Amino acid sequence: MLSDIMSDFRTFLISRVRPTLSSYASDFFERLTDGKYQTIEIDEEYNLLISDNGTSYEIERFSGGEEDLENLCLRLAISEVITERAGGAFNFIILDEIFGSQDSIRRQNIIRALHGLSSKFKQLFLI
């Protein structure tokens, strides 16, 4: 019985963070795509959906670069939420191979977004 209660409580807590993750990821995604896409939704199954002209699509519809960008936005959103919940205790973030599938404009957008995180993370490691 206790196991069921703890499992339900964990599910409840996770469901509370989903809207925050969606909001942060959407903000990054809108900035990194120069407003082309405004919203990343995380559904109850934690599938990622991108809103394109008011219609939500699964990630498979988009190019590999956009898929990589969406995943980067989600990683950045998770990092922000963890940092906020921990009271800003994290001093660095490590990101692996984030530029490979991006064109030069998106690379510049990513650099600007990462610069905006400098108030939360003193060090950014890019591999």
Side-chain angles (χ1 to χ4, degrees):
M1 184 175 167
L2 181 58
S3 177
D4 290 341
I5 291 170
M6 294 304 290
S7 178
D8 291 344
F9 183 65
R10 188 185 88 191
T11 301
F12 167 74
L13 288 177
I14 290 171
S15 71
R16 290 187 57 205
V17 77
R18 198 176 36 152
T20 303
L21 286 176
S22 291
S23 175
Y24 287 176
S26 294
D27 181 54
F28 283 119
F29 203 56
E30 182 175 14
R31 283 190 280 159
L32 295 179
T33 63
D34 289 323
K36 181 177 181 180
Y37 305 109
Q38 292 83 30
T39 307
I40 292 178
E41 298 172 45
I42 303 173
D43 68 13
E44 291 181 11
E45 301 289 320
Y46 280 81
N47 296 310
L48 301 175
L49 306 168
I50 296 175
S51 180
D52 187 9
N53 293 321
T55 303
S56 295
Y57 298 96
E58 293 183 4
I59 189 64
E60 291 80 20
R61 175 185 183 267
F62 298 91
S63 71
E66 288 167 335
E67 184 176 342
D68 290 346
L69 193 61
E70 179 186 39
N71 288 319
L72 171 62
C73 292
L74 185 59
R75 287 186 286 168
L76 293 172
I78 290 168
S79 298
E80 277 210 80
V81 169
I82 289 171
T83 301
E84 285 178 2
R85 302 277 164 102
F90 295 103
N91 289 321
F92 69 92
I93 186 171
I94 300 172
L95 299 168
D96 186 21
E97 298 184 20
I98 61 172
F99 297 111
S101 62
Q102 305 302 319
D103 62 24
S104 62
I105 293 172
R106 290 231 173 115
R107 287 179 187 160
Q108 291 173 358
N109 289 348
I110 291 170
I111 293 293
R112 277 195 297 276
L114 293 176
H115 181 67
L117 291 174
S118 64
S119 63
K120 294 185 182 190
F121 301 100
K122 293 179 183 177
Q123 295 178 334
L124 297 165
F125 294 95
L126 303 176
I127 299 170

